[in-house]
Amino acid sequence: MKFTPDNLPNDIDCLKQLLLETLAAKNAEIAELKQSVQRLLEQFRLAQQKRFGASSERHDYQGELFNEAEVTVDDVDNEPVESSTDAVPAAPKKRPKRQPLPKDLPREIITHDISEEDKQCDCCGEPLTLMGQDSSEKLKFIPAQIKVIEHIRLKYSCNQCETQGTQANIKQAPVPASPIPKGFATASLLSQIITSKYQYALPLYRQEMLFKQHG
């Protein structure tokens, strides 16, 4: 019922009673609304936990994604034990074999031998006999080397012509061909500089530092 000034009673006691009843009704309505909100919040929380919670999408196989070794051991332990007559022996695991290094690489063979004293048998004193050898391959890196190629051209002249005062006949080997005339850079040096600059983007000042390291 909607109250207006016209339908309100004029008696003070009746007004107080009406006010108390109205407040009680409002309080009951507020309490019911609070219960409804709490219930909705609980349902929402359960729905969120069911959708995004860690236990919502858990399967029987979760937790076993990264323990393949343990699973394999457990499977083996849980398998029924067969009789020895029917059991098939497991094939031994093959160890990975290292591939030999390329044969076209330059090789330096170093032989490691025992001393002459150790070549005597400890039991009878007789000399030991070579029965075989074991070999292992290692890779060694040799840094670039800088060396000077000095070209010496021998000259030949005729002593007879020089004695008679005629024109001297001098012969000499021709000057070797060079990529840069009168330059001291060989083809190998130029190819190294060009390859480092354009193939590996190494500036010239960095190449200069590397050359300084080589003396």
Side-chain angles (χ1 to χ4, degrees):
M1 178 180 180
K2 185 177 182 180
F3 295 99
T4 62
D6 296 334
N7 57 10
L8 287 176
N10 295 324
D11 186 56
I12 296 178
D13 294 335
C14 292
L15 288 175
K16 291 181 179 180
Q17 183 64 29
L18 181 61
L19 179 59
L20 292 176
E21 293 177 356
T22 303
L23 291 176
K26 293 296 182 182
N27 291 334
E29 183 178 0
I30 291 174
E32 184 178 356
L33 290 176
K34 287 184 177 180
Q35 292 180 0
S36 299
V37 171
Q38 188 67 24
R39 187 165 52 250
L40 291 175
L41 289 176
E42 185 68 19
Q43 293 177 358
F44 177 77
R45 186 183 65 81
L46 293 176
Q48 291 293 98
Q49 184 178 2
K50 183 178 180 181
R51 182 177 181 182
F52 302 107
S55 61
S56 61
E57 298 181 357
R58 183 175 181 85
H59 302 280
D60 295 337
Y61 56 83
Q62 275 192 334
E64 301 177 357
L65 298 177
F66 302 101
N67 62 339
E68 292 86 352
E70 290 81 358
V71 172
T72 304
V73 174
D74 293 340
D75 294 341
V76 173
D77 294 339
N78 295 331
E79 289 180 358
V81 179
E82 299 179 357
S83 61
S84 59
T85 57
D86 298 332
V88 178
K93 294 184 179 180
K94 295 182 178 180
R95 298 182 60 182
K97 185 177 180 181
R98 179 182 298 178
Q99 298 296 328
L101 297 177
K103 298 296 183 182
D104 55 345
L105 291 178
R107 290 179 176 270
E108 177 184 356
I109 299 177
I110 302 177
T111 303
H112 302 274
D113 198 0
I114 60 178
S115 62
E116 296 297 330
E117 298 178 356
D118 291 336
K119 294 182 180 180
Q120 306 293 327
C121 181
D122 296 335
C123 298
C124 62
E126 292 294 324
L128 301 179
T129 303
L130 181 64
M131 57 174 294
Q133 65 182 22
D134 295 328
S135 63
S136 61
E137 295 179 332
K138 306 292 182 182
L139 273 179
K140 179 180 179 180
F141 175 75
I142 301 176
Q145 296 179 353
I146 303 295
K147 65 179 180 179
V148 178
I149 305 298
E150 183 179 0
H151 296 275
I152 299 177
R153 298 187 296 133
L154 302 179
K155 292 183 178 181
Y156 295 90
S157 63
C158 179
N159 293 331
Q160 182 67 23
C161 293
E162 291 179 359
T163 303
Q164 295 179 359
T166 60
Q167 184 178 1
N169 187 11
I170 300 175
K171 294 183 179 180
Q172 187 179 20
V175 178
S178 177
I180 300 178
K182 298 183 180 181
F184 59 80
T186 61
S188 61
L189 178 59
L190 292 176
S191 62
Q192 172 65 25
I193 295 176
I194 295 172
T195 303
S196 299
K197 179 176 175 59
Y198 297 103
Q199 177 85 19
Y200 302 106
L202 195 62
L204 293 179
Y205 75 93
R206 291 188 179 179
Q207 296 190 50
E208 183 180 1
M209 296 172 58
L210 292 176
F211 287 128
K212 286 182 179 180
Q213 291 181 2
H214 294 296

